[in-house]
Amino acid sequence: YHPDKQKADVPAGEVEERVQRFIEIDQAWKILGNEETKKEYDLQQREDNLTKEWPLHAQIYLEDMSWNEDEQCYTLSCRCGGNYTVFKSETKDVSLVCCDTCSLVIEILQ
């Protein structure tokens, strides 16, 4: 896909598609090659996948969850008997949380 590696007999439309693909690959490398942008990308992908695949059970404010001082995390009981858990280190990054035993998801409101 590299623009410098194009053959002379490639149709113009295909050259344009290849250049566009090269740009997409270059952007992906820039995002995934940087630890901070990769983390943001991974979180966004996780949230997108959760909202597409798993049912949203509720929208909850973090302060409505129970704080566990020993484990440094917030928890909320799910209707299935499992728990939603958000660790203190994740509170700024996480907006969707999966139940640890079923397919339900809660959204953490800011």
Side-chain angles (χ1 to χ4, degrees):
Y1 296 111
H2 196 283
D4 293 342
K5 303 286 183 174
Q6 300 298 316
K7 294 181 181 176
D9 61 343
V10 176
E14 192 173 325
V15 169
E16 189 175 315
E17 288 176 20
R18 290 181 180 190
V19 168
Q20 184 60 39
R21 182 71 177 141
F22 174 79
I23 291 169
E24 292 169 0
I25 292 169
D26 183 57
Q27 288 173 340
W29 273 105
K30 287 177 182 173
I31 290 170
L32 299 177
N34 177 299
E35 194 63 36
E36 188 173 313
T37 56
K38 182 183 183 314
K39 182 179 177 183
E40 290 174 25
Y41 174 83
D42 289 343
L43 286 171
Q44 184 62 48
Q45 287 296 108
R46 181 174 178 258
E47 287 184 18
D48 289 348
N49 289 337
L50 287 176
T51 55
K52 288 178 190 170
E53 298 174 12
W54 295 24
L56 187 63
H57 172 64
Q59 294 179 312
I60 305 291
Y61 288 101
L62 199 58
E63 52 267 15
D64 293 334
M65 298 176 76
S66 300
W67 173 249
N68 182 321
E69 186 67 36
D70 294 335
E71 296 185 27
Q72 293 288 297
C73 65
Y74 293 91
T75 59
L76 180 73
S77 295
C78 180
R79 67 181 184 202
C80 75
N83 287 302
Y84 300 101
T85 304
V86 179
F87 290 94
K88 184 178 181 181
S89 60
E90 301 174 322
T91 56
K92 297 207 185 312
D93 298 327
V94 173
S95 64
L96 296 174
V97 181
C98 303
C99 174
D100 60 5
T101 58
C102 77
S103 63
L104 294 177
V105 173
I106 60 169
E107 181 178 12
I108 305 297
L109 302 173
Q110 299 295 330

